[in-house]
Amino acid sequence: MDNGDWGNRLTHPVTLNVGGHHYTTSISTLQCYPDSMLGAMFRGDFPTTRDAQGNYFIDRDGTLFRYILNFLRTSELTLPVDFMEMDLLRKEADFYQIEPLIQCLNDPKPLYPLDTFEQVVELSSTRKLSKYSNPVAVIITQLTITTKVHSLLEGISNSFTKWNKHMMDTRDCQVSFTFGPCDHHQEVSLRVHLMDYITKQGFTIRNTRVHHMSERANENTVEHHWTFCRLAYKVED
């Protein structure tokens, strides 16, 4: 293999199935720390397993892998301010043998300046698909925005009133829109506008993930999730 082919292989996208959660990244990211388990795996030192779709399969916690992968990408550990699974994340870091991450998790220093905290917005799209339609028919789609930033929820409720007919439901920490059958193009349009609106409020995308599952014999469900974050200053009481 010449240098050009090797370079293309390092940057070529690969998809991992970690405990049922799918992540797309590159070989170079996975080999960021050569002495780690992932570095050895994608160097060819360890055997790899593929799922039915040809994705690399790792039988570990798929939700926590988002933090593992983000650390490989940035060499920084950034967790939500209300993160409650530190012990589990330490076990995952130990499994993957990423020494700098293990050190970060054992370091008692605060992740953010003491006068700031992280605000989080979760945007999810849940789409139910008919297995037996050709082309595949969208049965129903739901878009949900979840956050404790009430001003953002109020802004969405006030700025997206034209979508009220799509069963807009507003709760304390959540706004959701339900689209029913086969009008998923309108859901995509709303999602694009929502993502633009959220980023204009100072949030940046921290993580994206996709989850596929079958609930019924004639239905598939595909879930897309986007996590947005921004730092905010604490206000003294």
Side-chain angles (χ1 to χ4, degrees), residues 8-62:
N8 289 335
R9 179 177 179 272
L10 287 177
T11 58
H12 188 73
V14 295
T15 300
L16 308 180
N17 176 352
V18 184
H21 294 257
H22 292 76
Y23 296 87
T24 300
T25 184
S26 66
I27 297 291
S28 60
T29 295
L30 296 170
Q31 292 183 335
C32 179
Y33 296 99
D35 294 333
S36 70
M37 185 275 283
L38 290 170
M41 177 186 294
F42 289 93
R43 192 169 56 243
D45 295 350
F46 288 171
T48 57
T49 302
R50 305 272 189 145
D51 65 13
Q53 288 71 45
N55 305 312
Y56 290 98
F57 177 73
I58 302 175
D59 188 16
R60 298 297 296 186
D61 192 311

Side-chain angles (χ1 to χ4, degrees), residues 86-119:
M86 192 66 75
D87 288 341
L88 289 175
L89 185 56
R90 287 193 183 97
K91 291 179 180 178
E92 295 304 298
D94 186 62
F95 172 80
Y96 293 109
Q97 284 297 293
I98 305 171
E99 286 299 329
L101 177 56
I102 293 172
Q103 293 173 14
C104 283
L105 289 168
N106 291 327
D107 189 340
K109 291 188 303 184
L111 297 175
Y112 308 107
L114 293 177
D115 61 344
T116 64
F117 67 101
E118 188 175 53
Q119 295 177 324

